[in-house]
């Protein structure tokens, strides 16, 4: 049986020589001599780059100081001005926390990818199975990836704090508008109220943008860490065998199951009217009052759709009513756009990939209030 004994096939009994592997030729398998390193022109194993974080520095608009008129409305304006100033101070602290988290996440990502690149380079030129040096580097990469996971937890905590600030900013805006109807005011009170309303509006927009950017960063970083954990599992198998296998197949399956619905960023609103045709919306959310409880119904509908059609892509359409003058129509379109972004944040927080969502706008003469329609395709 030559296949079992190693004898020659001609029956002479002479041993058959087996060439040494690249790892056996290396006298010091834990180090790579310069002659064994791959040249610059050699094909490199592609590694997944960390997702780009937001770069916006959120600066508050400030609060204009004004003298107290001494009227009841003037005192109310002073209280609202102080509350707005306190809110903007908190937003400045949130912005500082965000910039610190981004800097820490970038440093941890660079350290992680540097460690992974060193392991891949050593595996590419060949090494011994279960090389202890590579095992130590793999453990170090796992710790660095856990630090990135801790940064995501910090982002989630910051997002919860900003969501509380969002509720406060909406309350201040409604209180400022309600102060116009109070009796006993003079012209100076209404002038100060107009300035305060503009500054509160800008603060509301700032908080919404901060929440949108945080939600996008959390969504991208969470998916990135999940993919890299799968890559680490495959890399550990590569270290065990002493040869480079490549990226995890789980990531390829995930990417093939979630086609990109739109090459443009999901945060940009399509200004052209959305053509629904004969399609019926999956969900219609009417924002006819504050704090509409829509998330449970939205989750149930989207969850059932994905169970029956896993490849589904969703169109989130901001529908504004065509009522009133041009200023009213523009105001309705602005509110509908903010509501659509709010629904988009809810979908991403529920785990729906942002690549599965298209955001667009439309106007309707039949709508009595601002609505958000979700279509499936």
């Amino acid at each position: 049986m030559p296949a079992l004994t190693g004898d020659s096939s001609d029956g002479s009994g002479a041993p058959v020589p087996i060439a040494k592997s690249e790892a056996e030729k290396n006298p010091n398998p834990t180090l790579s001599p310069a002659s064994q390193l791959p040249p610059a022109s050699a094909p490199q194993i592609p590694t997944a780059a960390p997702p780009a974080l937001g770069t916006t520095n959120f600066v508050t608009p400030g609060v204009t100081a004004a003298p107290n008129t001494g009227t009841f409305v003037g005192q109310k304006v002073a209280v609202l001005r102080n509350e707005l100033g306190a809110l903007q101070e908190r937003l400045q602290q949130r912005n500082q926390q965000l910039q610190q988290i981004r800097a820490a996440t970038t440093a941890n990502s660079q350290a992680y990818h540097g460690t992974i690149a060193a392991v891949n380079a050593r595996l590419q030129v060949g090494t011994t199975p279960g090389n202890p040096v590579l095992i130590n580097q793999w453990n170090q990469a796992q710790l660095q990836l856990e630090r990135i996971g801790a940064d995501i937890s910090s982002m989630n905590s910051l997002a919860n704090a900003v969501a509380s600030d969002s509720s406060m900013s909406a309350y201040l805006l409604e209180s400022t508008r309600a102060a116009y109807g109070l009796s006993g005011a003079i012209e100076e009170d209404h002038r100060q109220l107009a300035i305060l309303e503009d500054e509160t509006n800008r603060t509301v927009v700032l908080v919404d943008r901060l929440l949108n950017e945080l939600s996008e960063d959390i969504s991208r970083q969470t998916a990135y860490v999940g993919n890299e954990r799968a890559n680490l599992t495959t890399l550990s198998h590569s270290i065990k065998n002493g040869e480079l296998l490549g990226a995890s197949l789980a990531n390829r399956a995930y990417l093939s199951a979630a086609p990109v619905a739109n090459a443009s960023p999901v945060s940009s609103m399509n200004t052209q009217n959305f053509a629904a045709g004969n399609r019926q919306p999956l969900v219609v959310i009417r924002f006819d009052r504050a704090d509409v409880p829509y998330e449970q119904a939205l989750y149930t509908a989207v969850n059932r759709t994905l169970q029956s059609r896993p490849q589904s892509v969703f169109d989130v359409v901001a529908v504004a009513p065509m009522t009133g003058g041009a200023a009213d129509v523009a105001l309705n379109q602005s509110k509908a756009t903010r509501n659509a972004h709010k629904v988009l944040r809810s979908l991403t927080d529920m785990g729906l990939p942002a690549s599965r969502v298209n955001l667009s706008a439309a106007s309707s003469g039949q709508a009595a209030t601002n609505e958000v329609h979700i279509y499936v395709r």
Side-chain angles (χ1 to χ4, degrees), residues 147-228:
R147 294 193 186 103
I148 301 176
D151 295 334
I152 297 176
S153 299
S154 300
M155 287 185 186
N156 277 315
S157 300
L158 181 60
N160 292 334
V162 175
S164 177
D165 295 335
S166 177
S167 300
M168 182 62 183
S169 64
Y171 165 75
L172 288 178
L173 183 59
E174 293 298 327
S175 299
T176 303
R177 291 173 176 172
Y180 282 103
L182 296 177
S183 61
I186 61 176
E187 288 80 1
E188 177 64 18
D189 292 333
H190 281 193
R191 189 189 69 84
Q192 294 183 15
L193 275 175
I195 297 174
L196 185 62
E197 182 182 6
D198 292 341
E199 294 170 348
T200 307
N201 259 320
R202 289 196 292 269
T203 305
V204 170
V205 172
L206 180 71
V207 174
D208 285 344
R209 290 176 179 173
L210 177 56
L211 272 177
N212 283 334
E213 202 159 298
L214 264 174
S215 179
E216 292 173 2
D217 287 346
I218 292 172
S219 178
R220 287 193 297 261
Q221 290 291 325
T222 301
Y224 159 71
V225 170
N227 293 341
E228 288 304 317

Side-chain angles (χ1 to χ4, degrees), residues 163-333:
S164 177
D165 295 335
S166 177
S167 300
M168 182 62 183
S169 64
Y171 165 75
L172 288 178
L173 183 59
E174 293 298 327
S175 299
T176 303
R177 291 173 176 172
Y180 282 103
L182 296 177
S183 61
I186 61 176
E187 288 80 1
E188 177 64 18
D189 292 333
H190 281 193
R191 189 189 69 84
Q192 294 183 15
L193 275 175
I195 297 174
L196 185 62
E197 182 182 6
D198 292 341
E199 294 170 348
T200 307
N201 259 320
R202 289 196 292 269
T203 305
V204 170
V205 172
L206 180 71
V207 174
D208 285 344
R209 290 176 179 173
L210 177 56
L211 272 177
N212 283 334
E213 202 159 298
L214 264 174
S215 179
E216 292 173 2
D217 287 346
I218 292 172
S219 178
R220 287 193 297 261
Q221 290 291 325
T222 301
Y224 159 71
V225 170
N227 293 341
E228 288 304 317
R229 286 198 176 106
N231 285 335
L232 278 180
T233 302
T234 304
L235 187 61
S236 66
H237 189 66
S238 301
I239 295 174
K240 179 181 179 180
N241 296 333
E243 59 181 356
L244 185 61
L245 301 179
S248 174
L249 293 178
N251 294 345
R252 298 180 184 178
Y254 170 77
L255 292 175
S256 63
V260 177
N262 192 354
S264 61
V266 296
S267 59
S268 61
M269 175 69 69
N270 184 4
T271 57
Q272 297 180 354
N273 287 335
F274 175 81
N278 295 326
R279 298 165 59 188
Q280 295 294 326
L282 175 68
V283 179
V284 175
I285 305 173
R286 294 183 176 87
F287 289 88
D288 52 359
R289 61 186 186 278
D291 299 328
V292 177
Y294 66 89
E295 292 190 339
Q296 182 61 53
L298 176 64
Y299 173 83
T300 302
V302 174
N303 184 39
R304 291 178 179 175
T305 302
L306 291 177
Q307 287 178 355
S308 59
R309 297 173 55 186
Q311 301 293 334
S312 298
V313 178
F314 299 87
D315 292 321
V316 177
V317 185
V319 179
M322 298 289 294
T323 57
D328 294 331
V329 172
L331 183 60
N332 290 332
Q333 291 175 348

Side-chain angles (χ1 to χ4, degrees), residues 11-30:
S12 62
V16 178
I18 301 176
K20 292 184 178 181
S21 65
E22 293 297 328
E24 292 174 320
K25 294 178 182 178
N26 188 359
N28 192 354
T30 61

